[in-house]
Amino acid sequence: MLDLEVVPERSLGNEQWEFALGMPLAQAVAILQKHCRIIKNVQVLYSEQSPLSHDLILNLTQDGIKLLFDAFNQRLKVIEVYDLTKVKLKYCGVHFNSQAIAPTIEQIDQSFGATHPGVYNSAEQLFHLNFRGLSFSFQLDSWTEAPKYEPNFAHGLASLQIPHGATVKRMYIYSGNSLQDTKAPMMPLSCFLGNVYAESVDVLRDGTGPSGLRLRLLAAGCGPGLLADAKMRVFERSVYFGDSCQDVLSMLGSPHKVFYKSEDKMKIHSPSPHKQVPSKCNDYFFNYFTLGVDILFDANTHKVKKFVLHTNYPGHYNFNIYHRCEFKIPLTVKRENTEGQTETCTTYSKWDNIQELLGHPVEKPVVLHRSSSPNNTNPFGSTFCFGLQRMIFEVMQNNHIASVTLYGPPRPGAHLRTAELP
C-alpha cells in the first residue's frame, strides 16, 4: 500500500517521487514506468473521437488514484484519490488516513484545521469540504435523514455543518479555490530537469512556402544545487531551412537523440524513383522531444532539409514520445475575386476545417501504416498524409492532425539574425 504525503495546491507523493500539479504527462508516465513493480495496473483513459473534449486520465486502479491532465496543454490539472481504503495519506508528516485511522470529519478537522462549512450537492448526495487547493467529499448513503439537508436556495447548493462520523469518499488536490474552475498551473521549476520546453512554435513563410521556425522557449535552472534560486527564463530562437548542424546546435542546444534514416519509404512517390541511386550515407534527425520537433539534416551538406512538428494526440502510434508542439502555420488561401489570404492552422485544427478554408479538397492521401516490426500490428490503425504548400499533414482517423512535415529547398547562405536574448 502506498504511503503518500498530501501537499494542498501542489502535489501527492513520497520521498522517491511526487505527482506535482503542472507536471507534463510524459514525466508522470516516466514515474509510473520506473516504479512499475510498486504501482501496477495503470489505465490510460481518453476520448478516441474527440480527444480535446475530455481530460486525459491516468487511472491507478490498484491504488485508487486518478491523475487528470488538461486535454490541451497536457499538464497535470487535478489529483483525485477515489478509494481511500487502498492508500495511506498524511499531511505535514502525520497520517489522517490509514488502516488504523479512519478519515472522518473529526479527523480531517484535526489534521487540516478550520474551514468554511460543508457544501451539499443533492444530485451526488455528497458533502464537499473545501480548503484552498484541497477538497474532501463525504458520502451521505448511511443516513436516513439525508433529505433534511436538501437546500432551499436557487443555486442548488447550501452551506451546512457536516454530520459527525461522516467519512471521506474522495479527495481532490488542485490549484486555486474552486475545483470546478481550476486550470493546470504552469510547469513547476522542479519539473524542468535541465530541459528546454517550447511555449509556442511559429512557422515562418516566404513567397513559396515555409522557410523556418520561430520558437518561444522556456528554461529554468542552470545546474545542480541552484534550484532554490532558479527562475523561469523565456527566450526566442529561430532556425531555417539550409541552416547548418552547428547553427541548430547553437540555437536549440543538443538534441535528446540523433536518429539516422535507414530507408526512405516515401521515395516511391517521387517523380523518378527508379533513377534514385542508393546513398552511401544516411540523412539524420535531431529529435527534440520536449519541443515536439524533429529536424532532418542532409547527409552530404549537413544542412536542414525538413522539420517535423508533433501534436502528441492520444490514439497515435507515437503518443507520449514527444511533448505537444503548440504550432501556428500560416496557409495561403486563394478565393474568387480576392488576392491570396492567409489563414492559420494550429495544433488543434481539424483537417476538414482546413480543406474548407482552402475551398477545395486536397488530392488523395498516402496511407501510412506504422509498426515496430513487419510482424507487429499497429493497434491505432492507419493515418493519412496530405501534401499542401510544401507541407505534409499526417491526419488521424478522428480528423485531428498527428504531425506536420515542412520541407523545401535549402536556402543558400547564412541568415541575418536579429539579436536574441541569452
Side-chain angles (χ1 to χ4, degrees), residues 137-263:
S137 298
F138 296 84
Q139 186 75 50
L140 280 184
D141 287 348
S142 57
W143 294 310
T144 56
E145 299 181 4
K148 89 176 191 181
Y149 300 106
E150 284 288 338
N152 296 318
F153 301 111
H155 295 292
L157 296 172
S159 294
L160 301 161
Q161 295 290 332
I162 297 179
H164 289 284
T167 56
V168 176
K169 182 178 175 63
R170 293 192 188 98
M171 181 191 76
Y172 302 90
I173 301 171
Y174 53 91
S175 178
N177 284 317
S178 168
L179 177 60
Q180 284 70 36
D181 301 330
T182 190
K183 295 180 180 179
M186 292 295 291
M187 193 191 313
L189 297 178
S190 60
C191 290
F192 275 85
L193 303 175
N195 290 304
V196 177
Y197 292 84
E199 185 178 62
S200 62
V201 176
D202 292 322
V203 174
L204 306 173
R205 285 185 68 101
D206 56 20
T208 61
S211 60
L213 304 178
R214 182 173 60 240
L215 302 97
R216 186 175 170 83
L217 303 175
L218 305 175
C222 305
L226 298 177
L227 189 60
D229 302 320
K231 291 182 180 178
M232 189 183 298
R233 295 186 300 131
V234 182
F235 50 98
E236 285 192 357
R237 294 285 186 265
S238 297
V239 288
Y240 299 89
F241 287 112
D243 277 358
S244 68
C245 210
Q246 290 82 356
D247 289 335
V248 173
L249 286 169
S250 64
M251 286 292 116
L252 304 181
S254 298
H256 295 92
K257 191 176 179 182
V258 178
F259 175 76
Y260 288 86
K261 289 179 67 174
S262 58
E263 57 184 355

Side-chain angles (χ1 to χ4, degrees), residues 1 54 62-63 70 90 103 145 162 188-189 265 269 272 274 278 378 380 418:
M1 183 180 286
H54 301 282
Q62 180 181 276
D63 306 295
D70 185 275
K90 56 189 175 183
E145 299 181 4
I162 297 179
L189 297 178
K265 293 182 178 179
H269 297 286
S272 305
H274 61 282
N378 177 355
F380 305 113
T418 56

Side-chain angles (χ1 to χ4, degrees), residues 122-136:
S122 58
E124 298 177 327
Q125 285 198 317
L126 290 175
F127 269 111
H128 300 290
L129 190 65
N130 300 317
F131 300 83
R132 182 173 177 84
L134 183 70
S135 289
F136 296 95

